[in-house]
Amino acid sequence: NSNELPPAPDGTFSIVVIPDTQRYLGREPDDSEPLTNPVFDAWTNWIVEKLEDQNIAFVSHVGDIVDNNVADQWELAGQLMDRLHGKVPYGISVGNHDMNAQGDSRLFQKIFPKSRFENFPWYVGCFENPDSESFISGNNANSAQIFEVAGLRFVYLHLECNAPDNVLAWADSVLEEHADRRAIVTTH
């Protein structure tokens, strides 16, 4: 197939970025059909199929994972991201659709809590909000990962949309702690 992406050349690697997936839902919110997200589904399938061929070292979701911050959309997103789980390091930024106007991202945190990642050696940790309930900016709503590929060492930060100053201070401390690595930041 002439449209097929050729394999990654020797000595190279890929970082896959999954853009906003909220607009690809397969039904309207009040529809009785089962919820699907065919584009998100195709992306995660492609990533798993191409892990070796494209030498995929890391996957970043830029946020707006869901359209409406409701449980069934989060459950579907969790199922689709589960395909990557344990196969490739990844991080997820919380977008404005993934929280309420006050910054409450508890549904994201239910599906993608720090406990989901903390046993992976590539997971550095997340911001813990001492100033308020954990559903505001806490429990993996802002996270850090590390990985190495092709002789390069990276630290990767995933920050929520409109990250407050205390999150930015945490991000700065992570970057200082890993100053010997190249840094990449994804935020929404």
Side-chain angles (χ1 to χ4, degrees):
N1 184 345
S2 63
N3 293 327
E4 185 68 24
L5 187 64
D10 288 342
T12 68
F13 62 93
S14 301
I15 296 173
V16 175
V17 176
I18 300 174
D20 307 33
T21 50
Q22 88 273 19
R23 295 288 182 211
Y24 300 111
L25 293 171
R27 68 166 169 81
E28 294 299 316
D30 58 352
D31 195 338
S32 63
E33 293 296 315
L35 183 64
T36 63
N37 192 321
V39 175
F40 196 174
D41 181 57
W43 283 336
T44 55
N45 274 332
W46 183 90
I47 292 166
V48 170
E49 290 171 7
K50 300 297 183 179
L51 278 173
E52 289 183 32
D53 188 45
Q54 295 301 316
N55 194 20
I56 298 172
F58 195 90
V59 176
S60 176
H61 195 305
V62 303
D64 278 358
I65 303 142
V66 299
D67 188 32
N68 299 307
N69 190 21
V70 294
D72 65 338
Q73 291 183 22
W74 280 112
E75 289 166 14
L76 177 61
Q79 292 166 13
L80 296 173
M81 290 301 286
D82 277 348
R83 292 183 182 142
L84 309 180
H85 205 68
K87 295 181 176 123
V88 62
Y90 68 95
I92 305 169
S93 289
V94 174
N96 56 300
H97 282 248
D98 306 327
M99 63 171 82
N100 69 16
Q102 291 73 43
D104 180 337
S105 61
R106 75 179 76 208
L107 292 176
F108 167 86
Q109 294 173 40
K110 179 181 178 187
I111 301 298
F112 300 107
K114 70 179 180 179
S115 60
R116 177 182 172 96
F117 301 97
E118 61 192 356
N119 291 325
F120 289 113
W122 48 263
Y123 183 74
V124 172
C126 65
F127 172 77
E128 298 292 347
N129 194 346
D131 298 329
S132 70
E133 300 291 337
S134 66
F135 51 83
I136 305 292
S137 300
N139 193 13
N140 211 47
N142 299 279
S143 63
Q145 302 80 28
I146 56 173
F147 67 100
E148 298 180 25
V149 61
L152 301 172
R153 300 174 58 193
F154 292 90
V155 58
Y156 208 129
L157 291 170
H158 286 83
L159 304 178
E160 67 186 306
C161 179
N162 300 320
D165 288 346
N166 55 357
V167 169
L168 298 178
W170 168 81
D172 188 52
S173 71
V174 171
L175 293 174
E176 285 180 17
E177 182 180 343
H178 297 281
D180 60 334
R181 293 175 176 268
R182 297 166 189 264
I184 303 173
V185 178
T186 292
T187 190
H188 186 80

